[in-house]
Amino acid sequence: MTVQATQQAVSKGGGRSRRTDAPATLSNLIRRPESGSLIATIAIFIFFAIFGGAKFTAQSGTATWLNPAAELGIIAIPVGLLMIAGELDLSVGSVLAASSMTLAIVSGHWGQPIIVGIVVALGLGLVTGFLNGLIVTRTQVPSFVVTLATNFGLAGLALGLTRAITGSTSVALTSESWAKHLFGSYVSGKFEVAIFWWIGVIVVVGWILHVSKYGNWIFAVGGDLVSARATGIPTDRVKIALFMGTAFGASLVGVIQTILYNSAQVANGQAFIFNSIIAVVIGGVLLTGGYGSVFGVIFGTLTFAIVGQGIYYTGWNPDWASLFLGVLLLLAVLMNNTFRRMALSYGPRKKKD
Amino acid sequence: MTQNSTQPLLKLTNVCKTFGTTDVLTDINLEVNPGEVLCLLGDNGAGKSTLIKILSGFHEPTSGVMEIDGTPVNFKSPRDASEHGIATVHQFGGTFPLMTIGRSFFVGAEPTRGWGPFKRLDNRFAGEVAVREMQSLGITRVTEGSRLVGGLSGGERQALAIGRAVYFGANVLILDEPTAALGVKEAAHVLRIVMQARQKGVAVILVTHNVTHAMTVGDHFAVLIHGALAADFRKGERTREEITDLMAGGEAMAELEAELEAYQAAHHGHVPDPVELERLAQSKSND
């Protein structure tokens, strides 16, 4: 039936709608949410390639920013997805730490097989995400507050339980070799295997957001919640699933870090909360929801990581790195706004405003 | 011009709605026929919104019967209403400014291609259908389904929402103040779209404040005052002045005018000072 309808549409649409699927022209390119962040990434890379010298562009230099980008990216991509649906998750820091600690306690301190530790750690993430989503959708309390509360609550819980169980705030873990290879090894000596996990997350989330029909639901939920609900989209379930996604990403990074560094610290991961939001916003996702892309978040993450690490290659005082990031964040948002306005006004439009 | 079919598409018999102890609607009897525009007129607070919320399934009537094609129905949710072919389009079109026209058109009912878990959203089909439906409503300026909805004018957004409702099989289209936020030209455009929808055999319920707009497209008029059906008449049975008088407290205004004239006559042609005028108006509106 769909096939018939398609043919009918094609014959009826005729030459008129041919431009709809025209190859990427410049006007098509600037209408995409990621165009601003792509320019930012390229500009930042060229900047540090010039001022950071050959060391920055060499393989080892690339690894220094690609490795943190991968870890940040695994969290930033689901956070971006959630932000497109109009919600924030400030609990990823504590979820990361708690999952990391759970794995170290279950498999390190208690000596269970590592697979058990990994499953429990990821399960903890999913449960936390589910609770975040449930509370946000049931109580209508802004997710900013709910996840902030979760972040503090979970941090306290992790610290209290860890000290009660192990008497320390740092727990060691010796991984079985398969787990070490899968989560915590280096490819060609420099590149963390997390890069491949990041690619996996990109493929799955990119499919969900841009190819499957669920992506349309996510944009609709973030664009106009009431209208989305009126069309029959299960908006609460969509949001809960997305909260579970961000927490799962944070848990995965917790597992990766614990296995990579052979230990877990209870205060790990808090930097990921704001870094993931910065990466997502630089990546052109609208903070209030309804607009963004996975490619944008990838570029935003890369830009963030290049700025964070590139400054060490310039020979300048690294104390200034945060200033650089702050200015960059503001510029990126202004540029993204400009591009969004261009996308909105594209087409034969009456001069009205 | 009006096709009086033997059976109305939608029929309300003695529908009442109370919230707590307040009667919002009392004994509403209405018939809506296919291919006809029913204009629902009334001042703010007259019960128009409550009535359309009952029709679109947001509220259940306290008492009374609602029938579709002669069968009594009972809507528990907006979903029930839309399954019976009743679609509501709100003032701002209920569309998503930052989504493409194609994606927005199919939100919640996305067309897919492919197999099993690898079903892909068929963006091209969505865009083409959306553009085709909008063009069939007379929006010829929109030729690309990949444009963002936010770049459309208010009237074009209405067309998108109406086109969507018609495409998904709405028999009854409720338009809640579609022209209220629009300029004169845009409003005329929306009225043309209303006529297009009517021509497709859809029953349109147009909620409006604007008598001119109502007179332009309406086949059948219902005026609500204080939750009761004050008048129910067909095109040409009343003049514009009579309708205006019925709406927005027109009768009260006429009385106030008479009162003023009497005051002037009694006070040697002086008009009342502002304080007195205020008191006069107050005593009238409290009636």
Side-chain angles (χ1 to χ4, degrees):
Chain A
M1 192 190 118
T2 315
V3 175
Q4 275 180 343
T6 310
Q7 281 168 347
Q8 190 194 7
V10 169
S11 61
K12 268 202 168 179
R16 258 208 184 122
S17 50
R18 197 173 295 148
R19 279 185 69 187
T20 312
D21 42 275
T25 59
L26 189 66
S27 77
N28 279 337
L29 197 67
I30 60 166
R31 284 157 61 199
R32 303 188 62 86
E34 61 268 16
S35 39
S37 53
L38 172 64
I39 293 169
T41 306
I42 293 172
I44 287 293
F45 185 81
I46 291 173
F47 179 86
F48 282 108
I50 291 168
F51 291 97
K55 259 187 166 173
F56 175 75
T57 48
Q59 214 186 55
S60 60
T62 307
T64 53
W65 55 263
L66 202 52
N67 288 341
E71 288 186 9
L72 177 59
I74 293 171
I75 298 178
I77 290 204
V79 166
L81 204 60
L82 181 67
M83 212 184 275
I84 290 173
E87 301 290 351
L88 290 171
D89 189 351
L90 304 183
S91 71
V92 290
S94 291
V95 171
L96 191 156
S99 296
S100 175
M101 199 40 95
T102 304
L103 170 60
I105 288 174
V106 170
S107 298
H109 189 72
W110 289 338
Q112 294 297 311
I114 193 146
I115 184 73
V116 177
I118 292 171
V119 168
V120 175
L122 296 178
L124 176 86
L126 289 175
V127 169
T128 312
F130 179 77
L131 289 177
N132 275 338
L134 198 68
I135 295 169
V136 168
T137 52
R138 287 286 181 278
T139 64
Q140 317 286 324
V141 174
S143 54
F144 183 94
V145 176
V146 171
T147 57
L148 194 63
T150 315
N151 194 57
F152 277 97
L154 199 58
L157 197 65
L159 180 60
L161 284 178
T162 304
R163 247 213 264 271
I165 293 169
T166 68
S168 162
T169 57
S170 168
V171 180
L173 171 78
T174 318
S175 308
E176 293 156 34
S177 76
W178 68 266
K180 190 78 185 166
H181 275 109
L182 199 56
F183 293 100
S185 58
Y186 288 94
V187 179
S188 68
K190 296 182 191 71
F191 296 98
E192 280 180 33
V193 75
I195 293 166
F196 295 96
W197 284 102
W198 184 28
I199 294 170
V201 171
I202 289 168
V203 170
V204 171
V205 174
W207 176 277
I208 292 173
L209 186 64
H210 296 299
V211 184
S212 82
K213 69 172 183 179
Y214 302 108
N216 217 36
W217 294 11
I218 293 167
F219 282 115
V221 166
D224 185 344
L225 186 64
V226 178
S227 298
R229 192 176 294 136
T231 65
I233 293 173
T235 54
D236 287 358
R237 258 187 287 163
V238 168
K239 283 191 177 179
I240 290 172
L242 294 177
F243 275 109
M244 290 173 78
T246 54
F248 185 81
S251 293
L252 184 58
V253 174
V255 167
I256 287 170
Q257 285 191 344
T258 312
I259 295 176
L260 181 68
Y261 303 122
N262 301 316
S263 77
Q265 265 79 36
V266 81
N268 259 356
Q270 296 298 329
F272 280 92
I273 299 171
F274 283 112
N275 293 357
S276 63
I277 293 174
I278 293 171
V280 166
V281 171
I282 293 178
V285 175
L286 192 58
L287 198 62
T288 47
Y291 194 67
S293 76
V294 167
F295 287 109
V297 178
I298 298 169
F299 295 132
T301 308
L302 288 175
T303 307
F304 181 86
I306 292 172
V307 171
Q309 303 299 319
I311 195 126
Y312 296 103
Y313 287 86
T314 57
W316 306 336
N317 188 342
D319 295 354
W320 301 96
S322 288
L323 174 66
F324 207 103
L325 267 177
V327 172
L328 176 79
L329 179 64
L330 200 60
L331 286 179
V333 171
L334 290 176
M335 186 157 69
N336 288 333
N337 282 353
T338 309
F339 275 101
R340 194 169 58 249
R341 221 170 297 130
M342 281 161 80
L344 273 174
S345 61
Y346 172 79
R349 189 184 175 198
K350 273 186 227 163
K351 286 277 169 288
K352 216 177 62 171
D353 326 311
Chain B
M1 187 161 162
T2 54
Q3 309 109 313
N4 257 327
S5 56
T6 45
Q7 197 168 54
L9 190 54
L10 181 69
K11 188 178 175 190
L12 302 185
T13 316
N14 295 329
V15 165
C16 300
K17 179 71 188 172
T18 53
F19 290 113
T21 53
T22 318
D23 292 330
V24 183
L25 292 174
T26 32
D27 289 334
I28 303 293
N29 294 297
L30 260 186
E31 290 185 2
V32 189
N33 297 314
E36 233 182 66
V37 178
L38 165 69
C39 290
L40 198 55
L41 305 162
D43 196 10
N44 287 340
K48 288 177 308 193
S49 331
T50 309
L51 182 55
I52 62 173
K53 276 183 180 160
I54 286 175
L55 294 176
S56 55
F58 279 96
H59 294 319
E60 281 183 70
T62 311
S63 65
V65 185
M66 185 153 57
E67 287 169 61
I68 289 185
D69 287 328
T71 331
V73 289
N74 191 6
F75 299 152
K76 299 270 183 225
S77 71
R79 219 104 233 201
D80 284 351
S82 61
E83 271 163 20
H84 281 90
I86 298 180
T88 311
V89 174
H90 293 286
Q91 198 174 328
F92 300 105
T95 48
F96 308 90
L98 289 165
M99 284 172 88
T100 65
I101 292 169
R103 275 177 173 262
S104 182
F105 190 88
F106 281 96
V107 162
E110 290 80 3
T112 51
R113 275 203 303 199
W115 171 84
F118 300 108
K119 278 199 179 119
R120 305 189 303 280
L121 176 63
D122 196 343
N123 260 321
R124 195 175 133 181
F125 172 74
E128 281 167 355
V129 171
V131 168
R132 193 183 69 211
E133 293 300 313
M134 283 181 80
Q135 293 196 335
S136 83
L137 289 172
I139 303 288
T140 48
R141 227 160 51 81
V142 176
T143 54
E144 279 176 68
S146 61
R147 277 176 58 190
L148 296 184
V149 172
L152 300 178
S153 67
E156 287 165 344
R157 282 207 213 184
Q158 290 280 339
L160 181 64
I162 293 170
R164 178 191 150 97
V166 174
Y167 181 81
F168 288 108
N171 307 320
V172 181
L173 190 59
I174 302 170
L175 303 177
D176 188 6
E177 303 270 11
T179 56
L182 303 179
V184 178
K185 271 188 189 162
E186 281 287 326
H189 215 132
V190 169
L191 295 179
R192 201 165 295 142
I193 294 165
V194 170
M195 297 307 280
Q196 298 271 5
R198 170 182 174 273
Q199 223 155 41
K200 291 182 178 200
V202 177
V204 181
I205 299 176
L206 180 68
V207 180
T208 184
H209 267 112
N210 191 315
V211 182
T212 314
H213 293 167
M215 299 274 291
T216 314
V217 295
D219 298 303
H220 175 188
F221 302 83
V223 183
L224 281 177
I225 294 177
H226 297 312
L229 206 56
D232 185 357
F233 52 92
R234 303 199 62 82
K235 193 184 182 95
E237 288 176 5
R238 302 275 174 111
T239 65
R240 179 189 304 260
E241 284 69 33
E242 284 171 320
I243 300 175
T244 316
D245 274 357
L246 272 167
M247 273 181 67
E251 280 163 342
M253 292 299 273
E255 273 179 55
L256 179 62
E257 243 168 70
E259 199 93 5
L260 278 173
E261 271 169 33
Y263 186 96
Q264 275 179 300
H267 293 79
H268 316 287
H270 290 296
V271 289
D273 63 24
V275 181
E276 202 121 7
L277 190 64
E278 184 94 333
R279 217 176 49 227
L280 271 173
Q282 285 273 304
S283 70
K284 278 302 111 189
S285 66
N286 285 343
D287 284 351

